[in-house]
Amino acid sequence: MPGDVSRILILGGTREARELAGRLDGDGRFQVITSLAGRTTGPNPIAGEVRVGGFGGVEGLRDFIAAERIALIVDATHPFAAQISANAAHAGVRTGIPCLRLERPPWDEQKGDNWTHMADIEAAARAIPEGARALVTVGRQEVAPFFARRDIHVLARMIEPPSHGVPGNAEVLLARPPFSFEQERAVLEEKRIDVLVTKNSGGGATYAKIEAARALGLPVLMIARPGKAEAVTLASIEELLEHLEAQLG
Ligand code: NAP
């Protein structure tokens, strides 16, 4: 695609997407449109153009790409956002527009960690021992299976309140990353947490909870990433920019 990259669609909802928009928008060769699902109110400011809300499946995304004369799609969505990544990959194939994925590597278990690997959210919700106090950090959209467990205590941390009721044996902690090691250690200690439940999101903004659990010798239920549609995948913004430069010649 030498010379013809001008309008770039970034599928966002992550810190990396926001940073990438800033990097590309400052480069005179590109016009950037970042797309957000609209799950959080008042998202952090993003450089360039921003649109909010679903496209209406693959067909809607394909129409958007054509109408906006998009030359490149960058899927910089969260590693657990599988549907939009599948839609992006399919829309790329159908329109002939390249689709790159920007995806941070998963966290690896380190010495001192005590992880149990979980296939999905439901498995993690089932695995919490009866009577345990669990810090659940899976986000408000997927907290329901934990709230359904009435034999445990759930401390559910999320950015915005859940849309459904919070049972009496659960409490919600509203907070937006990044979190420091000291903050995470304090939460685990003050709330007398027995087990941490987390998605393997990767990245630095939410890693301190893993370090704090390690320091306190707490077990972690680590939920594996979902399988994603195939795409050329770059692990960092720098790698993606290098790839782009190479393509531009
Ligand atoms: P998902 O299950 O993959 O997507 C569901 C639907 O939401 C998509 O089919 C699409 O609707 C719409 N959508 C998702 N991302 C979009 C975007 N960037 N722009 C426009 N529409 C989008 O996604 P999810 O897991 O609900 O996550 C939603 C958003 O939150 C993602 O953008 C993701 O980056 C961010 N996020 C997710 C997580 C997580 O753990 N899942 C964590 C942090 C941030 P249409 O089919 O109508 O186009």
Side-chain angles (χ1 to χ4, degrees):
M1 55 184 177
D4 67 358
V5 173
S6 55
R7 289 174 67 74
I8 299 182
L9 173 63
I10 300 178
L11 300 171
T14 57
R15 167 183 293 243
E16 289 89 341
R18 196 171 69 246
E19 286 178 13
L20 180 65
R23 296 284 292 271
L24 291 175
D25 188 62
D27 184 312
R29 293 171 293 174
F30 310 118
Q31 287 178 319
V32 179
I33 306 177
T34 298
S35 175
L36 301 176
R39 300 283 195 270
T40 50
T41 48
N44 291 316
I46 300 173
E49 208 178 304
V50 177
R51 66 158 307 279
V52 181
F55 295 97
V58 181
E59 300 305 319
L61 181 53
R62 192 196 57 188
D63 292 347
F64 181 89
I65 289 165
E68 293 290 336
R69 292 172 289 105
I70 299 298
L72 173 70
I73 310 162
V74 179
D75 172 14
T77 58
H78 191 269
F80 280 76
Q83 185 61 58
I84 187 68
S85 291
N87 292 357
H90 292 143
V93 169
R94 287 200 203 169
T95 53
I97 300 296
C99 177
L100 301 177
R101 182 170 304 141
L102 174 58
E103 188 171 281
R104 50 179 111 127
W107 297 315
D108 282 332
E109 200 165 357
Q110 305 292 316
K111 191 165 180 287
D113 282 336
N114 176 9
W115 293 5
T116 304
H117 295 274
M118 296 287 130
D120 53 32
I121 293 277
E122 286 70 24
R126 284 194 301 271
I128 299 171
E130 193 183 332
R133 295 176 63 83
L135 172 60
V136 175
T137 61
V138 299
R140 70 179 163 132
Q141 289 189 90
E142 290 173 290
V143 76
F146 299 92
F147 282 174
R149 285 280 309 266
R150 299 303 161 95
D151 58 337
I152 59 174
H153 182 86
V154 175
L155 175 62
R157 185 168 65 195
M158 54 192 76
I159 295 174
E160 293 191 11
S163 41
H164 36 74
V166 180
N169 59 323
E171 57 182 312
V172 167
L173 181 59
L174 296 181
R176 191 186 283 266
F179 305 110
S180 70
F181 174 80
E182 289 72 24
Q183 284 173 313
E184 297 295 50
R185 188 178 175 129
V187 169
L188 294 173
E189 285 185 326
E190 283 163 21
K191 296 292 184 178
R192 293 176 289 112
I193 297 301
D194 303 306
V195 58
L196 167 66
V197 182
T198 178
K199 295 174 173 174
N200 195 338
S201 297
T206 59
Y207 187 63
K209 63 188 169 189
I210 307 293
E211 296 175 306
R214 183 187 305 142
L216 295 171
L218 290 182
V220 176
L221 299 181
M222 182 60 70
I223 302 165
R225 293 180 173 191
K228 282 218 179 189
E230 261 187 47
V232 175
T233 301
L234 293 312
S236 68
I237 291 176
E238 295 309 325
E239 275 182 39
L240 188 131
L241 293 176
E242 273 172 31
H243 180 91
L244 209 49
E245 288 297 341
Q247 296 292 305
L248 288 168

